Amino acid sequence: QVQLVESGGGLVQPGGSLRLTCAASGSIFSIYAMGWYRQAPGNQRELIAVITSNGFTNYADSVKGRFTISRDNAKNTVFLQMNSLKPEDTAVYYCNGINQDILSWGQGTQVTVSS
C-alpha cells in the first residue's frame, strides 16, 4: 500500500515562503487527485489544495492566490509552494488523496508562521 511522507515545514515569519514535499512510496498516478490538508490544534482538518493526475488544480478560499500545488509523476511526489504566509496558516500539513481515494495518513509536517 502507498505510504505518504510529508516534509519541508518549519518556522517562518509572516510574509515568508515555504515549499512542502509529499513523497509517496508507490505510484500515485492512478489516484484521480491528490491534495494538501492542514489541521491546527482544536480545529478540523481542512482540504486546502487539490491537483488531478492531469494537472488541474483547485484551492480553498483561505489559501487561494498564495499557495500553489504541483506534482512530479515520475517521482511520485506532490509539492505545495506557500507564499505570503500568515499566522493563521500555522498548522500541521498533510497530503493524501481526496474523497474515495484517501489513503492512510502520514505524520504531517509542522508549519509555524510567527514574528
Side-chain angles (χ1 to χ4, degrees), residues 17-109:
S17 298
L18 285 173
R19 184 173 177 84
L20 307 184
T21 298
C22 170
S25 63
S27 176
I28 57 172
F29 184 76
S30 62
I31 301 176
Y32 172 70
M34 293 291 294
W36 281 96
Y37 303 73
R38 68 185 182 186
Q39 186 171 29
N43 294 108
Q44 299 178 174
R45 182 153 43 208
E46 176 190 19
L47 178 63
I48 59 170
V50 174
I51 186 167
T52 70
S53 59
N54 294 321
F56 295 99
T57 61
N58 202 6
Y59 301 90
D61 289 341
S62 57
V63 306
K64 191 174 299 181
R66 300 187 297 119
F67 292 9
T68 302
I69 188 172
S70 60
R71 64 192 297 164
D72 185 335
N73 290 326
K75 297 182 179 180
N76 297 313
T77 305
V78 184
F79 304 95
L80 184 68
Q81 179 66 47
M82 305 186 296
N83 299 324
S84 302
L85 283 162
K86 305 174 180 179
E88 51 262 46
D89 295 319
T90 297
V92 178
Y93 285 71
Y94 304 86
C95 64
N96 213 325
I98 66 170
N99 301 131
Q100 72 273 23
D101 294 323
I102 291 179
L103 306 170
S104 60
W105 295 94
Q107 294 300 306
T109 185

